[in-house]
Amino acid sequence: MLTTLLCAGLCGIDGFLVTVECDAQERMGDFEIVGLPDVAIKEAKERVRTASYNSGFRFPALSLTVNLAPANRKKEGSGFDVAMLCGILRCGGVIRRDVDLSRTCLIGELSLSGKVRAVRGVLSMCVAARDAGLTEIFVPADNAREAAAVSGMTVYPLTDIPSLVSHLNGEARLTPVSAELDAYAAAMEQVGLDFADVRGQAMAKRALEIAAAGGHNILLIGPPGTGKSMLAKRLPGILPPLSFDEAIETTKIHSVAGTLPEGRSLLTARPFRAPHHTMSAVSLVGGGVNPTPGEVSLAHNGVLFLDELPEFPKTVTDTLRQPLEDRRVTITRAAARVTFPCSFMMVGAMNPCRCGYFGHPTKPCTCSPADVKRYISRISGPLLDRIDIEVELPSLPFEEISAVAPAESSAAVRARVTRARAFAAARLRGERDIYCNAQLDAAAIRKYCVTDEAARTLLARAYDRMGLSARGYDRVMRVARTIADLDESDVIRAPHVAEAVQMRSLDKKYWN
């Protein structure tokens, strides 16, 4: 007797449909699982058998073969348990044969008691099921709200096998879970940490506003206690709110990685990742035997903050070069080749030297010139070339730190950033894969970065005096284009160029 059901697996952050074929024959009772299963799936034999008995159902005393198709694609994880047991119970007559399951997907891990446990990547699997034309999906109750975020699918929460069997046999129907779209929309508008909490540092705040408006990478340099980390943590609050599609894409990555916060069905705020400087290259860009997303992908559509940037091993930070340019990471292994998206803003923060007080007006620096040079040189030229904006944060005078006047809120800054992004989006409407000014290539710069005569004169002077490379010139133009967008100007003018050049001037001071 043969029965066929549908489940879903994961490849990278994308799901794919898996056909679970269960065959039962009256031979010596053995149980085989085929179709490139991993160890967790092979161990499902005993989970499935014991869960059936403890749920009150007789396990068929038949020769059982379960095939996970397509057979040439590796299957990983424990999310196939529920589909395999349902197929076996259907072969054994426990689940009615006349029930149509051709447009139904079953996902979940089984405990020995017959309870259904949560699994990773349910959102990606639900998207794959919908794209394959399926209309309903059964998932663990802990994953149900996550799956409900996918439109066009009826999502049923599973707690145990008896309730699933009763539902399929038409005896007691499960109640589907619906998405809380209004709650998602309201949560996406929330700001979080507020710029108003930060005293002084007007130059750094302006630089972060420009970075947010154009999606530019930024480096903050200054002695300890000047607010570098405090400002960086507030950057997500001035970025435009996540769109629903961005929220789905971001949540898929965190669901696959197992970092989705408990009780959260959809990420509604832009990610902020701040890994420690002792991390490895694999944990930064992703990898492993079964490739999983790294910090760059977990920061997708958000911010990757690298505090104490020179303390990161050079071999680790240099792995950022390709992700910063391509905005995706491709990992190749013998079993599979997966691609993870990683479109993020990088914010680096660093002291000007190891003791932190090089150039400080009142505190003496204890580092020798060689020590300062050695410390600064831990940031490679190619990585520095991928940072559009550099800004120095001075120590605050007493008047600024003790000021009682309220500072500008993140909500006000976000409104300007959102307007600038919309102004740029209207200009870039016909472009593919370009969503903000930081992604402009050389051809797009020539097309969209139109300057007036005064701006061209200033650019020529800056190019000669600063010894800009071709890449450095492009980065000045991208930043100038963003500053013009904040002013809602179609033409880049001299003040826009002057401010952009000022935000590339620290190369001379520290690295040359």
Side-chain angles (χ1 to χ4, degrees), residues 5-10 16-20 67-70 75 80 83 105:
L5 297 94
L6 295 170
C7 189
L10 289 171
F16 64 95
L17 217 59
V18 175
T19 302
V20 181
N67 179 43
L68 305 178
K75 323 300 185 304
F80 303 92
C105 187

Side-chain angles (χ1 to χ4, degrees), residues 402-416:
S402 61
V404 294
E408 189 175 32
S409 68
S410 290
V413 180
R414 174 189 264 190
R416 291 197 297 269

Side-chain angles (χ1 to χ4, degrees), residues 298-314:
L298 294 172
H300 182 60
N301 290 324
V303 176
L304 177 68
F305 177 45
L306 302 181
D307 200 7
E308 306 297 344
L309 184 58
E311 299 297 335
F312 284 79
K314 206 169 185 179

Side-chain angles (χ1 to χ4, degrees), residues 314 318 321 377-387 471 511:
K314 206 169 185 179
D318 279 351
R321 297 184 197 177
S377 66
R378 297 186 68 171
I379 302 175
S380 67
L383 178 61
L384 194 65
D385 245 359
R386 287 162 172 79
I387 298 173
R471 179 176 282 175
W511 283 274

Side-chain angles (χ1 to χ4, degrees), residues 430-450:
E431 296 289 341
R432 290 185 59 190
D433 301 326
I434 299 180
Y435 308 104
C436 57
N437 292 330
Q439 299 170 347
L440 295 176
D441 56 20
I445 288 172
R446 289 192 296 271
K447 182 177 180 181
Y448 297 116
C449 296
V450 180

Side-chain angles (χ1 to χ4, degrees), residues 128-163:
R130 180 198 62 187
D131 293 346
L134 275 59
T135 56
E136 61 180 22
I137 186 169
F138 293 81
V139 299
D142 290 341
N143 298 124
R145 292 181 62 213
E146 177 185 341
V150 180
S151 61
M153 292 291 287
T154 302
V155 179
Y156 292 102
L158 293 180
T159 55
D160 53 44
I161 291 301
S163 62

Side-chain angles (χ1 to χ4, degrees), residues 241-358:
L242 280 172
S243 68
F244 194 76
D245 288 341
E246 286 178 325
I248 291 286
E249 189 178 31
T250 305
T251 306
K252 282 172 61 177
I253 298 171
H254 286 259
S255 177
V256 168
T259 58
L260 194 63
E262 188 175 350
R264 295 282 295 279
S265 57
L266 193 70
L267 292 178
T268 54
R270 293 192 178 271
F272 180 84
R273 305 294 297 184
H276 194 261
H277 60 75
T278 54
M279 72 185 312
S280 66
V282 170
S283 61
L284 180 62
V285 299
V289 177
N290 298 322
T292 55
E295 290 292 334
V296 295
S297 296
L298 294 172
H300 182 60
N301 290 324
V303 176
L304 177 68
F305 177 45
L306 302 181
D307 200 7
E308 306 297 344
L309 184 58
E311 299 297 335
F312 284 79
K314 206 169 185 179
T315 54
V316 173
T317 54
D318 279 351
T319 60
L320 286 170
R321 297 184 197 177
Q322 183 261 340
L324 285 171
E325 289 289 336
D326 297 343
R327 300 183 181 270
R328 62 182 180 272
V329 173
T330 300
I331 299 169
T332 303
R333 295 290 181 267
R337 181 175 182 268
V338 299
T339 298
F340 298 122
C342 58
S343 180
F344 61 93
M345 284 181 60
M346 191 194 84
V347 180
M350 59 178 286
N351 297 329
C353 65
R354 186 169 292 281
C355 78
Y357 296 107
F358 174 70

